[in-house]
Amino acid sequence: MMPTEQTAQPAWTRPRRFDRNLVVIGAGSAGLVSAYIAAAAKARVTLVEAHKMGGDCLNFGCVPSKALIKSAKVAHQMRHADQYGLEAVEPKVPFSAVMERVHKVITEIEPHDSVERYTRLGVEVLQGYARLVDPWTVEIALNDGGTQRLTTRAVIIATGAQPFVPPIPGIDAVGYLTSDTLWERLRDRPAAPKRLVVLGGGPIGCEVAQSFVRLGSKVTQIEMAPRLMMREDEDASALVEASLKADGVHVLTGHKAVACGVEAGEKWIDVEHQGTLQRVFFDDIIVAVGRAPRLKGFGLEELGIKVDRVVETNAYLQTLHPHILAAGDVAGPYQFTHVAGHQAWFAAMNALFGDLKRFKADYSVIPWATFTDPEVARVGLSETEAREQKIPYEVTRFGIDDLDRAIADGSARGFVKVLTVPGKDRILGATIVGEHAGDLLAEFVFAMKHGLGLGKILGTIHIYPTLAEANKMVAGQWRRAHINGFLLSLLERFQTWRRG
């Protein structure tokens, strides 16, 4: 969003000298990358974090959720070992041990984002709450007491996001969990929640619902929209929903949560569907309906910087005050760790060198994945988006159920779907549903980023037998659909002549 002009701003005095070249507020992906770049450029940079280094991804999101998903998948494979010629067994799930593994994984990755590492890199790290008191002065309320003020030529706001909790009557009374709190509050449970409600049918909700049902919970998933994973095409979300249901998740799409409460010691949630109320009893509820940027308490509004759903910035990630920038979830338009790190490069370069040259943030090729089983990964346009935007396209599709390696692995489900310009091999978007879809997508991300078409993928040797061959197969499907019939006729006549 472009910053709008403000009127009647206070007459702040710009310092003649600055303590720092850059102050970065927030040590998640965007903040860490920004500080790293500044230190590499020999700038004097201070990174301020109020809570945990590594931000949401390391401590509450990407890392712990993937560790949980892995344990849940192993439990699922044990139950279905007969599909591999082994004896199926019902796994014993000491849930506290599963959660200890989750925390061990966090601990093993923590050094990558630690105070010690960034200090060695040349970044000053302060732990406390930062607030802009004027456009060039940051005041830090230090966690260990006291305050510190720093003047700085530039500031990057990288304060991330937090779970959004909808204002459902009674939600506070039932002691809800979020993707931020469940890792500590469930840590010492000997067993997974017996009856679990997952509120939300997006990527987080689907990953959590599938993981917990595989670890022994009876899971009810509630989604107000008509289907799960509304950002994906119907064929992709249908495969995920079918998988969740096969695992035992009770999926309630088209159901709106209207109230929560406690009755005779039993927690409940009322949902409405087509005018009919249904009450679902549960032991725990995880609210996973999305995340809201952290916008308040940093002094932005007092400086005239507009904050609504995100911090308002221009194409260079600059706010109303060009030396104050934003990156990551707090800036939008995407809430992905890898996009936060991508934005951080642009924010840091513009903060440090914007007076000489500015760099416009590039969102032309943004990939993402949902780590359900099967995974869903996408880059560029979906069919739904192409139709809505009236963009002409062709679809080429290859079913992974026909891929040798997938058959051998017992993971022969899903598809690779590519949208191209009509009559050309230029890729507009790709969706993969299947085992390791997030990894397989990288080839299409690379191709789109560098303007390579399906012909280049087809002409590249892929190891046999691998899942990556699916990408070459879909390129082959496109080629077969675009063979020149006249040329084939000439070839046939030529070969007939050659036989004499």
Side-chain angles (χ1 to χ4, degrees):
M1 297 175 65
M2 290 291 292
T4 54
E5 291 298 325
Q6 305 291 325
T7 60
Q9 294 297 340
W12 293 295
T13 302
R14 185 178 186 270
R16 294 181 64 186
R17 296 176 60 86
F18 298 93
D19 301 318
R20 302 288 184 271
N21 296 97
L22 178 64
V23 171
V24 180
I25 303 176
S29 178
L32 291 170
V33 174
S34 297
Y36 178 91
I37 291 170
K42 302 305 179 183
R44 194 169 185 192
V45 54
T46 294
L47 175 64
V48 185
E49 172 55 52
H51 195 202
K52 294 183 176 183
M53 294 287 287
D56 299 326
C57 183
L58 171 63
N59 299 289
F60 312 119
C62 316
V63 170
S65 65
K66 302 313 164 280
L68 187 74
I69 286 169
K70 181 63 177 182
S71 295
K73 187 169 186 176
V74 171
H76 175 75
Q77 290 172 332
M78 291 171 68
R79 290 189 188 96
H80 299 278
D82 56 320
Q83 296 177 3
Y84 305 95
L86 306 174
E87 184 178 345
V89 295
E90 183 60 34
K92 295 179 180 179
V93 183
F95 188 71
S96 59
V98 171
M99 294 299 279
E100 278 307 305
R101 177 183 176 272
V102 168
H103 286 276
K104 181 182 177 184
V105 169
I106 295 172
T107 300
E108 289 181 3
I109 295 175
E110 270 179 341
H112 302 169
D113 301 340
S114 65
V115 172
E116 292 76 16
R117 178 181 182 231
Y118 275 78
T119 300
R120 288 196 302 271
L121 290 171
V123 177
E124 178 190 41
V125 181
L126 297 178
Q127 302 211 270
Y129 290 83
R131 181 176 176 275
L132 284 155
V133 295
D134 69 41
W136 301 277
T137 306
V138 180
E139 182 176 88
I140 303 112
L142 299 169
N143 289 351
D144 58 2
T147 61
Q148 183 173 347
R149 282 196 173 197
L150 296 171
T151 57
T152 180
R153 284 194 65 93
V155 177
I156 294 177
I157 309 296
T159 51
Q162 60 195 359
F164 172 72
V165 180
I168 302 169
I171 188 73
D172 291 327
V174 297
Y176 63 86
L177 301 167
T178 68
S179 56
D180 279 13
T181 63
L182 72 88
W183 311 108
E184 285 296 337
R185 288 177 57 183
L186 299 183
R187 182 171 186 170
D188 298 323
R189 297 274 189 95
K194 186 175 181 181
R195 299 171 301 174
L196 177 67
V197 164
V198 175
L199 190 60
I204 297 174
C206 289
E207 290 179 3
V208 167
Q210 188 171 49
S211 294
F212 275 90
V213 79
R214 289 179 165 187
L215 292 171
S217 296
K218 181 180 179 182
V219 178
T220 300
Q221 187 176 11
I222 300 167
E223 169 55 49
M224 184 168 60
R227 60 182 175 88
L228 301 179
M229 296 179 61
M230 284 294 292
R231 294 187 65 182
E232 306 299 341
D233 283 333
E234 288 188 29
D235 51 1
S237 65
L239 271 173
V240 172
E241 184 169 333
S243 179
L244 265 62
K245 287 179 176 178
D247 284 344
V249 178
H250 183 41
V251 179
L252 298 177
T253 51
H255 286 68
K256 180 181 179 181
V258 295
C260 295
V262 182
E263 176 184 297
E266 287 265 86
K267 298 176 182 178
W268 54 264
I269 183 169
D270 281 345
V271 293
E272 184 269 329
H273 176 65
Q274 298 180 350
T276 301
L277 279 180
Q278 177 183 347
R279 178 161 291 184
V280 179
F281 290 94
F282 62 86
D283 300 303
D284 290 283
I285 182 171
I286 298 175
V287 178
V289 297
R291 298 179 67 83
R294 295 186 181 93
L295 302 169
K296 304 295 183 180
F298 307 107
L300 302 179
E301 292 167 305
E302 290 83 353
L303 300 184
I305 297 171
K306 188 176 179 182
V307 292
D308 184 11
R309 293 177 63 247
V310 293
V311 175
E312 189 176 80
T313 63
N314 62 14
Y316 305 95
L317 299 172
Q318 297 169 310
T319 67
L320 176 71
H321 304 279
H323 68 284
I324 301 176
L325 303 94
D329 291 356
V330 76
Y334 301 96
Q335 290 188 348
F336 304 124
T337 296
H338 49 280
V339 174
H342 175 70
Q343 284 182 322
W345 186 89
F346 296 95
M349 294 299 288
N350 290 331
L352 298 169
F353 307 110
D355 294 340
L356 304 174
K357 179 176 174 59
R358 295 189 303 170
F359 299 87
K360 188 177 291 187
D362 177 15
Y363 304 117
S364 58
V365 183
I366 300 293
W368 64 78
T370 300
F371 296 92
T372 46
D373 183 9
E375 292 181 7
V376 179
R378 176 156 73 91
V379 62
L381 283 175
S382 68
E383 276 197 85
T384 305
E385 290 170 342
R387 287 194 297 267
E388 289 174 348
Q389 298 173 33
K390 295 182 171 53
I391 296 173
Y393 67 94
E394 288 183 9
V395 175
T396 306
R397 182 185 179 108
F398 173 74
I400 291 175
D401 58 336
D402 202 31
L403 186 69
D404 291 2
R405 179 58 185 269
I407 294 169
D409 284 352
S411 60
R413 57 175 174 169
F415 58 84
V416 180
K417 179 171 64 173
V418 182
L419 275 63
T420 51
V421 174
K424 299 181 182 297
D425 73 342
R426 184 165 70 85
I427 302 165
L428 297 173
T431 297
I432 304 178
V433 181
E435 191 88 356
H436 294 295
D439 299 309
L440 298 179
L441 189 73
E443 189 167 19
F444 292 108
V445 178
F446 181 84
M448 289 182 68
K449 178 67 177 176
H450 297 285
L452 305 175
L454 289 177
K456 295 295 185 183
I457 293 176
L458 181 60
T460 301
I461 297 174
H462 292 65
I463 295 171
Y464 178 88
T466 60
L467 296 177
E469 280 192 297
N471 296 343
K472 183 168 184 171
M473 293 294 188
V474 78
Q477 297 271 64
W478 182 90
R479 174 58 65 198
R480 283 190 291 275
H482 293 82
I483 291 175
N484 186 310
F486 177 70
L487 179 61
L488 276 181
S489 176
L490 288 178
L491 285 173
E492 184 178 19
R493 291 166 61 186
F494 174 72
Q495 295 298 345
T496 300
W497 172 80
R498 293 263 295 176
R499 291 195 302 270

